[in-house]
Amino acid sequence: MTVITKGTEPPGATLDPAIGSESVRLRPLQACCLTLLLVLAFCAFALLDVVRQHPTLLWSFLGAAAVLLAWSVVLFVSAGRARRTFTLEIVLRKQHYLQACAQGSVLLYWGWHWREVYDSAYLIAAQLLFAYAFDMLLCWSRRDTYTMGFGPFPVIFSINLFLWFKPNWFYLQFVMVALGFAAKELIRWNRDGRRVHIFNPSSFPLAVVSLGLILTGTSDITWAQEIATTQFYPPHIYLMLFLVGLPGQFFFGVTSMTLAAVVTTYLFGLLYFAATGTYFFFDSYIPIAVFLGMHLLFTDPSTSPRTELGRLSFGALYGLSTVALYAVLGNLGAPTAYDKLLQVPVLNLSVRLIDPVARSKMLRTFDPAALGRSLTPRRRNLAYMSVWAIVFASMSAAHGVGDHHPGQSLRFWQQACQDDRPYACGYLTTLQSTFCKGGSGWACNELGILQADVWRDRAQTVAAFKVGCDRGFRPACLNVIRKADSESTLASGPPTLVDYPIILRDSKGPITDLRPSALYARACTLGWAETCGRAGLSGRE
């Protein structure tokens, strides 16, 4: 084994500068031992009780390990016969470890408020080991050199921020990881005189798998919808994402993409509200999972435009395509959680068109780079970051982003449905159905009234009333009789203390303060006028 130390690349020499590099030459047996060490570490997860107690999950691990082991034997036996010598390069790239730190911070913060993330930490660690072993075997199968660093970390973290499979189907998670690294290694083109990968190695498998789930109608085998919903649980999560994105924006100049994507989507939301009186994304101007994608998914500097005008266009296209996909998926009855995933590979393919257009004489006048040609790249990055900080602060002050949004209020959608605003009654029906399933008899009764008055569905109406009656809400019991005997006016009534913890819950997750005084005060704040006089009295009830 021979060690060769290389000097650090000159600053600015590559898009993704490294701290330094060290090369290690390995004979086939030594290389085989290294891969076997990774495979054995991966197999160790099969010894965990949580894995052994779930047969399908256990076989997912054993099956993936068997593939890696067989591949190692075939590769290194043939390499020994051919007298090949392998090279292991240790390269620590700032792009990788900064992105991994940002994504890891989000996982930790999110997991504190949705414990499923922490409970699945061992699965994320297993994916990392699988990724290193798979990537190493794939590279050494094609050439003699493998570059090891933090590269797999942002890929695995990014994938797990948006999609992972439930235990019965977890073997597909390893397939998704393998697809991402295979695409990075095998799907390449010449760009700016270099042979580079086309697709973001995390967004490509996410898009392919998402499309497969949509076409097969099998999204329920994943946590996709729960992930998109629970990422809003942590307090001040928009601010947190804004902050963790800053280091990458400073070093790699991706602020313009995030800025353009956020502003485009927000402006569309404002225009939509002005035209319809409702919110396009219902409970936010920019859903938190989309906001996350705008910071830590599509902004990979290696697969995005090089020009500043191109990056602004790239961000605007991401924002508009998210809006379009949300509308299309919603109209098709497909989960809208994939609206920020499907378009990224298409955008990656467009970069060789976007940059030449951005450099054209026709658009040279609009090139923002012309305003800062005297600035160094880092100062130009700081200028963009300053603009982005001002925009984010302004949006936060206007409740464009943040923990609270009018669309989270049930009262807003009741009034919007009453005013016959677009999609309002449909969304109100979804809300009431969710609350009814959550245990609110009042919501079941209101759902039945909606089914009767808006949708004219007698079977659904009676079913909702019966559930509300079973949960002890008296007007629902009256409505069961009235709907069966006549077309008389349906009975309604105010929610009870049992209902408030369910119907007052916004997108931040379950209500933890269940004291009557707190519930009445919360209800009063959210527009339930009949509770305003009871907040102070409830402590004596």
Side-chain angles (χ1 to χ4, degrees):
M1 180 172 66
T2 306
V3 177
I4 307 171
T5 303
K6 298 181 180 178
T8 304
E9 294 182 5
T14 65
L15 179 67
D16 185 15
I19 291 177
S21 63
E22 183 176 276
S23 295
V24 182
R25 290 178 181 170
L26 304 172
R27 294 188 296 274
L29 181 59
Q30 294 171 318
C32 183
C33 289
L34 178 59
T35 57
L36 289 178
L37 182 63
L38 289 172
V39 175
L40 288 174
F42 174 77
C43 285
F45 285 95
L47 301 177
L48 296 175
D49 288 341
V50 68
V51 176
R52 289 190 294 109
Q53 292 170 4
H54 200 295
T56 307
L57 185 58
L58 175 61
W59 282 108
S60 296
F61 275 88
L62 295 179
V67 170
L68 295 174
L69 182 61
W71 191 355
S72 299
V73 172
V74 172
L75 171 61
F76 295 115
V77 167
S78 62
R81 291 174 179 173
R83 298 183 181 277
R84 289 177 61 187
T85 299
F86 295 99
T87 301
L88 177 69
E89 288 189 339
I90 310 297
V91 180
L92 307 181
R93 298 188 183 280
K94 188 178 293 184
Q95 176 184 343
H96 294 156
Y97 60 76
L98 281 182
Q99 188 81 340
C101 287
Q103 295 163 336
S105 300
V106 176
L107 286 167
L108 289 172
Y109 189 47
W110 172 34
W112 185 257
H113 296 273
W114 190 49
R115 303 300 293 189
E116 189 67 35
V117 180
Y118 286 1
D119 292 342
S120 301
Y122 71 98
L123 295 175
I124 297 176
Q127 291 172 66
L128 277 170
L129 287 171
F130 176 83
Y132 272 105
F134 182 91
D135 193 32
M136 184 180 293
L137 288 168
L138 180 60
C139 289
W140 274 339
S141 295
R142 291 172 48 80
R143 56 183 179 273
D144 293 335
T145 300
Y146 171 66
T147 302
M148 175 178 279
F150 290 103
F153 276 81
V155 177
I156 299 303
F157 285 176
S158 182
I159 287 175
N160 283 269
L161 280 170
F162 294 97
L163 183 66
W164 75 77
F165 286 86
K166 294 177 180 178
N168 280 336
W169 302 88
F170 201 77
Y171 61 89
L172 293 175
Q173 193 79 15
F174 296 127
V175 173
M176 182 162 56
V177 171
L179 179 61
F181 284 92
K184 180 181 179 182
E185 177 64 25
L186 303 176
I187 307 176
R188 293 176 165 258
W189 60 11
N190 291 316
R191 186 178 176 205
D192 297 333
R194 299 174 59 200
R195 189 74 178 169
V196 296
H197 57 279
I198 300 174
F199 300 112
N200 181 320
S202 58
S203 63
F204 180 79
L206 285 170
V208 171
V209 171
S210 297
L211 183 60
L213 292 168
I214 292 170
L215 294 177
T216 57
T218 54
S219 292
D220 58 332
I221 69 175
T222 74
W223 295 100
Q225 192 59 50
E226 291 86 350
I227 288 171
T229 301
T230 59
Q231 283 175 345
F232 192 55
Y233 283 6
H236 308 298
I237 184 63
Y238 284 94
L239 176 60
M240 193 268 186
L241 292 177
F242 168 78
L243 294 175
V244 300
L246 293 179
Q249 292 170 6
F250 174 73
F251 286 105
F252 306 112
V254 298
T255 316
S256 51
M257 289 187 279
T258 296
L259 172 63
V262 171
V263 170
T264 300
T265 308
Y266 180 55
L267 289 178
F268 175 86
L270 291 176
L271 292 174
Y272 186 88
F273 180 79
T276 66
T278 57
Y279 300 101
F280 182 75
F281 291 107
F282 296 114
D283 64 352
S284 61
Y285 282 109
I286 306 174
I288 191 60
V290 173
F291 197 73
L292 173 63
M294 291 173 173
H295 283 76
L296 299 177
L297 179 65
F298 91 109
T299 53
D300 175 16
S302 300
T303 56
S304 56
R306 301 281 193 261
T307 61
E308 291 187 24
L309 181 59
R311 290 189 170 189
L312 287 169
S313 303
F314 195 71
L317 287 172
Y318 182 77
L320 292 174
S321 60
T322 299
V323 168
L325 283 169
Y326 183 87
V328 170
L329 292 172
N331 288 330
L332 291 176
T336 55
Y338 306 117
D339 57 355
K340 63 274 184 187
L341 305 178
L342 293 169
Q343 70 272 50
V344 182
V346 179
L347 291 175
N348 293 153
L349 284 171
S350 71
V351 297
R352 290 208 302 188
L353 174 64
I354 291 176
D355 273 337
V357 171
R359 293 188 183 106
S360 64
K361 293 182 179 180
M362 181 176 63
L363 296 180
R364 188 173 299 171
T365 306
F366 304 100
D367 186 1
L371 300 175
R373 295 193 189 282
S374 61
L375 298 177
T376 63
R378 293 284 169 81
R379 289 190 175 184
R380 191 156 50 243
N381 292 349
L382 282 174
Y384 272 112
M385 291 169 65
S386 300
V387 173
W388 168 223
I390 293 171
V391 169
F392 180 79
S394 301
M395 289 176 59
S396 299
H399 300 290
V401 294
D403 286 354
H404 304 290
H405 185 273
Q408 296 173 14
S409 170
L410 180 60
R411 278 304 207 201
F412 171 85
W413 291 105
Q414 286 179 315
Q415 186 61 51
C417 179
Q418 184 178 331
D419 296 340
D420 199 25
R421 297 176 187 172
Y423 303 107
C425 290
Y427 187 64
L428 178 60
T429 301
T430 299
L431 286 177
Q432 297 289 26
S433 177
T434 301
F435 296 149
C436 178
K437 292 176 183 177
S440 169
W442 174 87
C444 296
N445 188 61
E446 293 297 311
L447 175 62
I449 295 173
L450 272 174
Q451 295 287 2
D453 294 345
V454 178
W455 309 114
R456 310 292 182 182
D457 190 327
R458 180 179 176 82
Q460 294 291 335
T461 297
V462 174
F465 288 150
K466 286 182 177 178
V467 175
C469 182
D470 291 341
R471 291 189 175 144
F473 192 70
R474 288 182 59 83
C477 298
L478 294 174
N479 287 334
V480 172
I481 300 172
R482 291 179 179 181
K483 196 62 183 174
D485 295 343
S486 68
E487 293 297 325
S488 59
T489 303
L490 296 174
S492 185
T496 68
L497 271 175
V498 176
D499 299 302
Y500 282 128
I502 301 168
I503 67 173
L504 298 180
R505 174 179 173 176
D506 56 22
S507 303
K508 299 304 286 185
I511 295 174
T512 56
D513 190 347
L514 301 179
R515 293 173 301 152
S517 58
L519 292 174
Y520 286 138
R522 184 184 182 98
C524 178
T525 302
L526 294 176
W528 302 84
E530 66 273 14
T531 65
C532 294
R534 306 188 68 182
L537 298 174
S538 58
R540 299 193 296 272
E541 293 178 352

